[in-house]
Amino acid sequence: MRVIEHFIKEIRQAAVYNSDVQVAPACILWPDSDRQWEAVIPNLQNELPELFVLGDYDPEKRTGPAIWLRCVVAGKVDDVDLPSDRTPIFYIPGFSRQDLRAVESCPDQLKPLASLQYLGVIWSQINSKDWTILAFLKSDQGGLGLDVALDNDAKNAMQMALCPLLDEEVELLKGKRLDKDYFNALLTGGDPVRDLLQWLDHGDTFHDEHDENEWKAFVELCKSQFAFDPEKDGVIVGATKLACHEGSWNPVWDRYREAPKRYPNIPAQIRKCKPPNGTIQWHLGGGKFDGWPQWNETQENKLRTDLSALESMPPHEARKKLAEFETQHKSRRSMVWAELGESTLAHAMEHLSVLASTTNTALAAGSVDDLMAGYTNAGWRADDAVMKALACVENEEDLEAIKKAIQSIYITWAEESARYLQKIVEKSGYPGGSASNCKILQYKDGECVLFVDGLRFDTAKRLVEMLASQEYKVEEKTVWSALPSITATGKPAVTPVRDKIKGEDSSTDFEPVVAETGQSLKGGYHLKKLLIDGGWEILERSSNGNVNGRAWCEFGNIDHDGHDRGCKLSKHLESTLSEIQDRVIRLLKAGWKSVHIVTDHGWLLLPGGLPKIDLPSVLVESKWGRCASIKPGATTNERLYPWYWNSNQYFALADGISCFRNGMEYAHGGLSLQECLTLELNVSSGVSKVSAVSVELTDIVWKGLRCTIAVDGEFSGLSLDIRTQPGDSFSSVVLKVNPLKDNGTASVVVESEELEGVSATIVLLNSNGELVAQTDTVIGGGKE
């Protein structure tokens, strides 16, 4: 029961009478000499249609002079709708019970009501004193019997917080000490830390958005809990205390760290402050430097300089330096400035350190199987690290520093592995074979083949991780692409109709033809016709097709983006892979038994451009970035390789990771592990069985937008999330899903204040992301 409900029950109880010896009271008189209840009378009138007020004449507000109130009792007022089953209650502000009882000396405006004390009843304490707010809260005879502080500060705060106090649950107030801090916190929304952060963020606007009572309550809370006076000290002093986050300000800083984007102006406020002496020069490991964006900027500037200096170092020294930089800067990735996008180089260091450790092992020894094993087990992580490091940075200055760091260790590693692979192929032949000796691909009904142009090995690994995280089963198969590693050659080679395709001796653009008719596959029409004639359905971009048959689908063009964007492909790769993931999931949910993902080739990407190698145009019929068709009779020092579709047709490939064109950051068509070693993925719906877990949520506490829970039972390995749709992980509303602690508790923070009051579901998840328990809640802990 809420306080207001208890109040209504008690004041109505005053009209209860013994019909055997009494007549019904004509009214209930409620004197309030100090006008303590006056501010909440409109709220009470919403709940008490029989409540009237002594004051100026305003029938719509059920207010009027004493004579008008007498008319209400007499039922002579037409514009008042008084419930027939309720005794009218007359609130008399500014007058006490004693004023009413002194009939002859009471003020003239009160005299018409004086006789009603004999016809009705006066609502007062058992000791005949008027009901004050303190008395009603504290008394156990007609009041709530709560533990209330008696000091003047508490009384003043209680008066100001009366309106929100009426909506509090009585049961929740029992056992609490209701002092000035409690009432001030109640008036300001019950979350002083949040209010302090909002004030630091909004400044004067925060003051303007709150009434005078709320502002006074906020000031008193700050003085009491944070030893800080917003009115006297101001925002700059507050921002300084937040940055230092010592003592009572540490919880404020912790809250800010949880959701810094909610307070976008706080970093600028801190930048106006002067850090303590030596803060900017502190090194990692000493002092509370993490609260100062100026310190973080200094660290970013230093790292940028250090990365740029790697350009002049030999690879082995550059790798050592990168390991040192990672040790120095990795802790900054968990700081608030990283979440605000102000530590991009520190984020990039995570990937550059992977690049350094991976490239420390050369892929330039052993057999072709050894090369393949070395790359598939670990080597691909170097390519992945390059892409992820590039994706971290935004501005040109940072990008240049990352480029120099990558070039210092990646070029030599990639060059050596490419040259060694080319050397092996020259002696033993290409492991990818040719169309004449490759097995015909066999598929069953219910299988859909999804072609992705340019799904390099490392990007395919990312896709595997993304699909596996959604509980899909993914089988991987390492394959060598067709030579040269370009779409014209490679795409037909991964179709289920490749046995219907051949390469003609006269081809100079690496484009095969229909074996039976000699029609070129260029443009794609005749390739699709071969598929259709072979019983394959061609799916358009959003079509799911007949799931009982066999289908060919093309989705995601990484190769096109690479040619267009160069190293900026790194920025778009994640979103492209997400789109591919969604397409695969839609196909499986539509009913396909499996989706077989194939690709034509990989690619090389080097920020700043691949090394240039000359191949005179007079020697070639056509020339691409990494491959060229040599004119009949022409001689060249470049290595020649047989075409996948026709072993009588030869072409030239650039040495190492060189390129026949200048300034190309992205290229393919040559012979390297990055271009030729690819993954085929077979994706199917995984069978997920949730093991029975005995766990019970025993406590749920909301404080602002922070939800804390406690559980009993088998909670080891479980995590806490809050969702609007319990079975949909994408409906999560929290900043981060958090694991349960050893004591069975956990807390999460809802990401948006706009969600306060919205119904949601608290869910517990096991280590596989499977839901094991849930319960309904209202965000913020209130009612809808």
Side-chain angles (χ1 to χ4, degrees):
M1 181 183 292
R2 293 179 300 157
V3 172
I4 192 172
E5 293 167 338
H6 191 99
F7 180 92
I8 291 170
K9 176 184 175 183
E10 289 299 324
I11 197 169
R12 282 175 173 169
Q13 188 72 20
V16 175
Y17 67 100
N18 185 346
S19 59
D20 292 335
V21 296
Q22 294 174 302
V23 296
C27 63
I28 300 172
L29 299 175
W30 174 16
D32 179 16
S33 60
D34 295 331
R35 299 178 179 266
Q36 290 191 10
W37 300 92
E38 191 170 32
V40 296
I41 291 301
N43 303 64
L44 293 171
Q45 284 184 314
N46 291 333
E47 305 286 340
L48 288 164
E50 69 269 32
L51 177 58
F52 297 84
V53 180
L54 174 66
D56 295 334
Y57 181 67
D58 192 343
E60 290 186 1
K61 295 182 179 180
R62 303 205 294 274
T63 301
I67 293 298
W68 182 77
L69 295 179
R70 288 300 299 262
C71 293
V72 171
V73 173
K76 301 299 183 181
V77 180
D78 294 333
D79 53 357
V80 170
D81 185 17
L82 177 65
S84 59
D85 61 338
R86 293 297 181 191
T87 302
I89 302 170
F90 295 157
Y91 174 67
I92 309 173
F95 299 100
S96 67
R97 176 190 176 99
Q98 286 72 26
D99 292 330
L100 280 170
R101 296 189 67 82
V103 177
E104 294 182 359
S105 61
C106 73
D108 291 341
Q109 68 266 38
L110 190 61
K111 284 181 178 179
L113 298 181
S115 63
L116 290 180
Q117 64 185 300
Y118 307 111
L119 300 176
V121 294
I122 298 177
W123 184 55
S124 59
Q125 299 183 59
I126 195 170
N127 60 7
S128 298
K129 292 183 178 181
D130 293 347
W131 277 112
T132 63
I133 300 172
L134 175 62
F136 183 75
L137 294 177
K138 194 170 182 62
S139 174
D140 56 4
Q141 296 183 352
L144 300 178
L146 301 173
D147 180 12
V148 185
L150 301 179
D151 59 276
N152 289 331
D153 288 340
K155 292 178 182 178
N156 293 334
M158 178 197 315
Q159 177 76 59
M160 293 190 297
L162 181 56
C163 187
L165 180 63
L166 290 176
D167 282 327
E168 290 294 285
E169 294 287 339
V170 175
E171 286 300 316
L172 296 178
L173 296 177
K174 291 181 178 179
K176 289 183 178 179
R177 176 66 171 172
L178 306 186
D179 56 13
K180 66 173 183 177
D181 284 349
Y182 174 82
F183 292 120
N184 285 329
L186 185 64
L187 183 60
T188 59
D191 193 347
V193 173
R194 179 198 61 192
D195 292 337
L196 179 54
L197 288 171
Q198 287 182 340
W199 174 72
L200 289 172
D201 185 60
H202 298 165
D204 292 339
T205 304
F206 177 89
H207 190 174
D208 297 340
E209 291 172 347
H210 293 75
D211 62 35
E212 197 59 31
N213 283 344
E214 291 173 337
W215 172 252
K216 288 180 180 177
F218 168 69
V219 171
E220 290 303 316
L221 270 177
C222 288
K223 289 160 65 175
S224 173
Q225 296 191 13
F226 308 112
F228 169 73
D229 188 336
E231 288 185 319
K232 294 181 179 179
D233 296 331
V235 172
I236 301 303
V237 173
T240 302
K241 289 181 176 292
L242 178 66
C244 293
H245 51 275
E246 296 174 345
S248 60
W249 283 81
N250 199 51
V252 184
W253 176 255
D254 288 341
R255 178 74 70 85
Y256 174 63
R257 286 181 57 209
E258 289 174 350
K261 292 180 181 178
R262 287 184 187 163
Y263 314 100
N265 300 314
I266 283 182
Q269 301 286 30
I270 297 177
R271 285 187 172 90
K272 298 175 185 176
C273 310
K274 183 179 180 181
N277 291 336
T279 297
I280 302 303
Q281 286 74 39
W282 286 349
H283 294 289
L284 292 167
K288 288 192 174 181
F289 47 82
D290 57 323
W292 298 93
Q294 301 96 313
W295 173 85
N296 183 67
E297 289 171 7
T298 300
Q299 295 300 309
E300 280 286 286
N301 292 337
K302 181 178 184 301
L303 180 55
R304 185 184 303 109
T305 301
D306 289 342
L307 290 174
S308 298
L310 298 179
E311 183 180 30
S312 60
M313 294 185 185
H316 69 280
E317 290 185 13
R319 292 187 184 99
K320 289 181 181 178
K321 284 292 184 182
L322 285 170
E324 293 175 8
F325 300 160
E326 169 65 0
T327 300
Q328 294 168 8
H329 295 277
K330 63 182 179 181
S331 64
R332 289 200 293 119
R333 293 196 288 271
S334 61
M335 295 180 184
V336 65
W337 315 116
E339 186 170 344
L340 292 175
E342 298 182 13
S343 304
T344 55
L345 290 177
H347 274 301
M349 268 312 311
E350 179 179 8
H351 308 299
L352 291 176
S353 66
V354 172
L355 176 62
S357 62
T358 304
T359 57
N360 198 44
T361 302
L363 294 177
S367 66
V368 69
D369 290 338
D370 294 329
L371 280 186
M372 184 171 71
Y375 187 78
T376 57
N377 290 335
W380 63 271
R381 297 184 185 279
D383 305 318
D384 184 57
V386 168
M387 299 302 292
K388 289 179 176 177
L390 289 170
C392 287
V393 295
E394 296 290 343
N395 63 63
E396 194 63 32
E397 193 177 13
D398 288 345
L399 180 60
E400 286 303 312
I402 295 298
K403 284 181 178 180
K404 291 175 180 177
I406 291 172
Q407 291 166 351
S408 69
I409 58 176
Y410 183 68
I411 293 178
T412 303
W413 179 82
E415 179 78 30
E416 289 175 352
S417 66
R419 288 189 178 277
Y420 189 79
L421 174 62
Q422 292 161 10
K423 181 179 177 181
I424 292 178
V425 169
E426 185 178 19
K427 291 182 179 179
S428 307
Y430 181 61
S434 64
S436 61
N437 58 25
C438 285
K439 294 181 180 179
I440 299 174
L441 302 174
Q442 300 292 334
Y443 294 97
K444 301 176 182 178
D445 288 343
E447 294 184 328
C448 177
V449 179
L450 177 67
F451 171 79
V452 180
D453 195 351
L455 186 67
R456 193 169 71 168
F457 194 98
D458 57 305
T459 57
K461 279 289 190 180
R462 275 208 232 182
L463 184 58
V464 169
E465 184 177 350
M466 294 165 67
L467 289 165
S469 70
Q470 296 296 310
E471 304 299 326
Y472 288 94
K473 180 181 178 182
V474 186
E475 298 175 355
E476 305 175 32
K477 179 183 177 183
T478 304
V479 296
W480 293 89
S481 67
L483 278 187
S485 51
I486 57 174
T487 301
T489 288
K491 180 178 177 180
V494 296
T495 66
V497 292
R498 69 183 181 193
D499 58 318
K500 309 294 183 183
I501 301 170
K502 70 174 184 179
E504 293 187 333
D505 292 343
S506 59
S507 175
T508 59
D509 56 4
F510 316 111
E511 196 85 49
V513 298
V514 178
E516 186 176 337
T517 64
Q519 294 166 310
S520 173
L521 300 184
K522 192 171 186 178
Y525 171 79
H526 290 290
L527 179 59
K528 290 181 178 179
K529 189 173 185 305
L530 282 177
L531 287 164
I532 294 171
D533 292 344
W536 288 80
E537 181 181 6
I538 307 297
L539 301 185
E540 298 302 325
R541 187 173 182 84
S542 59
S543 171
N544 293 326
N546 176 16
V547 299
N548 296 315
R550 294 174 295 167
W552 171 268
C553 177
E554 299 180 20
F555 194 90
N557 199 331
I558 297 172
D559 188 39
H560 180 272
D561 287 346
H563 286 297
D564 278 356
R565 303 178 187 275
C567 71
K568 292 182 180 179
L569 168 65
S570 60
K571 290 286 187 183
H572 304 270
L573 194 54
E574 196 71 19
S575 62
T576 299
L577 291 175
S578 294
E579 292 175 356
I580 297 169
Q581 175 196 27
D582 291 343
R583 180 60 171 138
V584 172
I585 292 174
R586 286 199 303 270
L587 289 168
L588 291 172
K589 287 185 175 180
W592 289 98
K593 294 177 182 177
S594 64
V595 176
H596 197 77
I597 302 175
V598 297
T599 191
D600 46 358
H601 57 75
W603 30 271
L604 285 167
L605 185 142
L606 183 66
L610 294 163
K612 170 72 163 54
I613 187 173
D614 290 327
L615 180 63
S617 298
V618 295
L619 301 178
V620 300
E621 295 279 4
S622 63
K623 181 168 62 175
W624 297 36
R626 296 259 298 144
C627 61
S629 178
I630 305 300
K631 288 181 179 180
T635 58
T636 176
N637 294 326
E638 304 300 325
R639 293 193 180 97
L640 299 180
Y641 300 84
W643 184 28
Y644 174 86
W645 290 105
N646 186 338
S647 57
N648 294 320
Q649 187 83 358
Y650 284 81
F651 55 89
L653 297 184
D655 280 345
I657 59 171
S658 299
C659 188
F660 291 137
R661 297 178 181 176
N662 191 36
M664 294 187 70
E665 293 185 322
Y666 174 98
H668 58 91
L671 183 56
S672 68
L673 295 169
Q674 289 81 1
E675 295 165 280
C676 298
L677 209 55
T678 64
L679 272 180
E680 288 184 3
L681 309 177
N682 192 44
V683 189
S684 58
S685 297
V687 179
S688 177
K689 295 182 180 180
V690 180
S691 57
V693 175
S694 175
V695 62
E696 178 186 3
L697 283 95
T698 59
D699 195 18
I700 300 170
V701 177
W702 283 95
K703 189 172 184 181
L705 294 179
R706 173 186 286 277
C707 178
T708 302
I709 68 161
V711 302
D712 280 339
E714 303 172 15
F715 56 78
S716 178
L718 299 186
S719 296
L720 169 64
D721 192 7
I722 299 177
R723 302 172 176 178
T724 55
Q725 301 293 329
D728 183 4
S729 62
F730 290 103
S731 71
S732 174
V733 296
V734 302
L735 293 170
K736 184 176 66 172
V737 176
N738 285 328
L740 269 68
K741 299 177 182 177
D742 293 340
N743 62 1
T745 66
S747 66
V748 290
V749 178
V750 175
E751 62 183 352
S752 173
E753 294 179 356
E754 296 178 357
L755 294 171
E756 189 165 3
V758 173
S759 294
T761 304
I762 294 172
V763 298
L764 295 180
L765 310 169
N766 64 17
S767 58
N768 295 322
E770 299 161 338
L771 194 153
V772 297
Q774 67 182 65
T775 188
D776 294 334
T777 189
V778 174
I779 294 174
K783 298 181 178 180
E784 286 187 283

